[in-house]
Amino acid sequence: MRAKDVLGRRGEDLAADYLQAHGMRIVERNWRCPEGEIDIVALDGDALVIAEVKTRKSLAFGHPFEAVGADKLARLHRLAAAWCRAQGLWMPLCRVDVIAVVDDGIGEPAVEHLKGVG
């Protein structure tokens, strides 16, 4: 496995642990369809949460949040609808969250969470 893939998997694991520690229930991870992939699907009370995880070793090339632009957010909203259709669910409350993980492999990783992006 490539180093960036190992880093990305570690970031997703840290993000899932973070969400669970903050009271969310993980429903699915790495859900794929022809349009793309959802990193984490979770429930936060009555709200469906589509979580995009961005992991970096450092801030040298910008903050991980900067990697999620308007096109990516639009795709995540479409993927949320596709996930609901695939599950046969209708969720009146749905949001897209972005989790940033900075993990240099030496110190404690930093995890930041933006709720309801876009």
Side-chain angles (χ1 to χ4, degrees):
M1 188 179 281
R2 297 181 308 185
K4 78 174 203 85
D5 295 331
V6 171
L7 180 66
R9 171 58 64 178
R10 176 158 163 72
E12 287 182 10
D13 290 344
L14 289 166
D17 291 346
Y18 173 91
L19 293 175
Q20 287 177 317
H22 286 84
M24 293 190 200
R25 185 167 63 90
I26 305 301
V27 176
E28 191 158 359
R29 291 184 58 183
N30 304 112
W31 181 81
R32 290 179 173 86
C33 72
E35 185 150 352
E37 178 184 359
I38 298 173
D39 293 333
I40 299 172
V41 179
L43 290 174
D44 185 10
D46 292 338
L48 179 72
V49 176
I50 303 303
E52 175 70 8
V53 181
K54 292 296 181 186
T55 307
R56 302 286 183 269
K57 283 186 178 181
S58 74
L59 299 177
F61 295 102
H63 195 281
F65 288 145
E66 295 174 34
V68 182
D71 290 344
K72 180 67 173 182
L73 285 174
R75 175 177 291 160
L76 289 167
H77 284 280
R78 289 191 305 272
L79 286 168
W83 186 87
C84 286
R85 281 191 306 274
Q87 307 309 313
L89 295 174
W90 181 79
M91 297 294 294
L93 300 174
C94 181
R95 71 175 195 248
V96 172
D97 291 5
V98 180
I99 314 279
V101 178
V102 179
D103 183 6
D104 63 6
I106 298 168
E108 192 68 28
V111 179
E112 293 180 70
H113 181 193
L114 289 179
K115 293 182 180 182
V117 179

